[in-house]
Amino acid sequence: MQLLHMNQMDQTKFCCSVCLDLLKDPVTIPCGHSYCMNCIKSFWDEEEKKKIYSCPQCRRTFTARPVQEKSTMLADLVEELKKTGLQAAPADHCYAGPEDVACDVCTGRKIKALQSCLVCLTSYCEKHLQPHYVAAQLKKHKLVEPSKKLQENICSRHDEVMKMFCRTDQQSICYLCSVDEHKGHDTVSAAAERTERQRELEVSRQNIQQRIQDREKDVKLLQQEVEAINQSADQTVEHSEKIFTELIHLIQKRSSDVKQQIRSQQETEVSRVKELQEKLEQEITELKRKDAELKQLSHTEDHIQFLHNYPSLSALSESTDSSSINIRPLSYFEDVTAAVSEVRDKLQDILREEWTNISLTVTEVDVLLSQPEPKTRAEFLKYSCEITLDPNTANTWLLLSEGNRKATAVKQQQSYSDHPDRFTNWFQVLSRESLTGRCYWEVEWRGRVYVAVAYKNINGTDLISFMCRSISSGFAKGHR
């Protein structure tokens, strides 16, 4: 039962606070704390240069190096714990890796630091940090997140903590620097400079947070704009489809009407022709019968009988009038075909003309420019665009210079290479850049100049432009 009780005890009570492992050859120093013999020996060997010896846990100092008293009872107890298989070493994840800040006090395999002290300029694991929670003097120290940059707080020249800040040179310094190479400079404590910069930081953060709120508001507005664009586009597509469907139905109705009229006229004409055909066929039958009778009469040998029957047989019935018969193969309804073709051609012309207007209307929808119209030059400059001139379009009587940003009418024709986009009839030149959305530009000129915005498909021999302004001299501003 006694052994079971020891197994259930807190295993850390039998660990060395230096190596954090089970005590090996435990010794007890005058303050009552126990360590591995080699651990405390190595620790005091490091402190021997300062001629001060202290306890790693309670920081009690000794003027002379204490004698290490072996703790027989602890040694026996640790041996018993080892026999039970109890291990006091921390888990692997507690040890410091290459990217971790290691405890500066641990010997052997070091543990991850829990915090760093800006006064001691040392990083401590949880075990070695305990004195900072207990000792009155250590409680005043400034503890921060573990840092590998503690040595950057030490002045490389005087090996002192840099607690001052030189505003003249904008760098951290130690007190000795302030009375040495930084003498006469505007120096303050690092804490005072931090307070000042902290205020500036807060102002900057407020500005950033305000900008974040403004941008988030803009994002929401843009999202609403997207939804409005989508909704408007969907409605327009729906309405357009409905209109085109109605147009198709109208054309189909007209096609059906024309078809019905043609069939009706076809039926009337065919009926009239068949009626005439039947009369002619009846007349043919009658004539054939009459011919047979006359043939038979011609063979009668009795002269008296021939003369008696001839008057009645020789009389012919009235002939059917066939003067209206006019054979026109496949050309009876050619006028209808011509009329329908004419309608088709007119409709194509209308659709072609109106389609251009529809395309331009769709292209010129400027949904993102719902902002107020700019009024001042500063507001216009937000939409400024850099304009350069395209040498492939320049008339040969124009000289381009200053990086193709200046055009001058000259008396000597320039030797530009042939190009299909080149203006030949007008002293003109186009810009390389396309103007899309809202654009603003400024032009300096001398003499009489025309500034215009042209369609992209402007012909090299024509002048097809809009928003054209004739200017004689001075400084021009324009926007689209």
Side-chain angles (χ1 to χ4, degrees), residues 197-209:
R197 295 295 175 87
Q198 186 73 27
R199 283 196 293 265
E200 295 176 1
L201 182 146
E202 293 301 325
V203 173
S204 298
R205 285 200 61 206
Q206 290 175 4
N207 293 335
I208 291 174
Q209 291 170 0

Side-chain angles (χ1 to χ4, degrees), residues 302-472:
D302 186 345
H303 301 307
I304 300 301
Q305 192 65 32
F306 177 85
L307 294 173
H308 176 72
N309 291 328
Y310 178 74
S312 61
L313 292 176
S314 61
L316 295 175
S317 61
E318 184 178 355
S319 178
T320 302
D321 182 15
S322 61
S323 62
S324 61
I325 298 176
N326 182 19
I327 304 302
R328 295 179 296 168
L330 302 178
S331 61
Y332 294 99
F333 295 95
E334 61 182 4
D335 293 340
V336 177
T337 302
V340 173
S341 298
E342 184 179 357
V343 171
R344 178 200 61 194
D345 295 340
K346 289 181 178 179
L347 185 57
Q348 284 180 341
D349 291 340
I350 292 173
L351 288 177
R352 189 179 298 110
E353 293 174 3
E354 293 303 321
W355 179 250
T356 301
N357 294 334
I358 292 172
S359 298
L360 287 175
T361 302
V362 173
T363 304
E364 292 174 359
V365 170
D366 205 355
V367 294
L368 293 178
L369 298 182
S370 57
Q371 304 169 7
E373 188 75 18
K375 294 181 176 58
T376 66
R377 182 172 182 271
E379 292 174 347
F380 273 110
L381 285 176
K382 295 178 182 178
Y383 308 100
S384 63
C385 53
E386 196 78 7
I387 298 295
T388 56
L389 304 176
D390 185 358
N392 291 329
T393 66
N395 185 278
T396 55
W397 296 98
L398 290 178
L399 173 64
L400 301 186
S401 59
E402 296 184 8
N404 292 335
R405 289 177 52 79
K406 180 180 179 180
T408 306
V410 293
K411 296 181 179 180
Q412 183 178 359
Q413 195 170 15
Q414 303 300 303
S415 58
Y416 295 134
S417 59
D418 292 337
H419 198 281
D421 294 340
R422 190 171 309 288
F423 287 103
T424 56
N425 293 345
W426 299 86
F427 288 9
Q428 295 184 156
V429 59
L430 292 178
S431 66
R432 285 183 180 272
E433 295 75 21
S434 298
L435 302 179
T436 58
R438 178 173 287 171
C439 303
Y440 173 79
W441 65 92
E442 297 180 346
V443 182
E444 290 187 61
W445 76 95
R446 286 197 304 270
R448 186 172 181 80
V449 178
Y450 291 91
V451 176
V453 179
Y455 291 112
K456 185 177 181 180
N457 60 348
I458 184 173
N459 188 290
T461 60
D462 300 328
L463 181 63
I464 309 172
S465 60
F466 63 92
M467 227 188 78
C468 181
R469 179 189 300 173
S470 172
I471 51 182
S472 57

Side-chain angles (χ1 to χ4, degrees), residues 6-58:
M6 285 193 299
N7 285 334
Q8 293 173 338
M9 292 175 64
D10 184 359
Q11 62 189 25
T12 60
K13 295 183 181 296
F14 307 100
C15 295
C16 170
S17 59
V18 175
C19 69
L20 299 181
D21 203 348
L22 285 176
L23 290 165
K24 300 181 184 65
D25 298 326
V27 293
T28 303
I29 61 177
C31 63
H33 292 112
S34 300
Y35 302 94
C36 300
M37 181 182 294
N38 288 334
C39 289
I40 192 65
K41 179 178 180 299
S42 299
F43 185 77
W44 281 342
D45 287 344
E46 290 293 328
E47 290 191 330
E48 194 163 10
K49 301 173 184 178
K50 302 178 182 178
K51 299 299 181 180
I52 297 178
Y53 307 95
S54 63
C55 172
Q57 290 191 59
C58 65

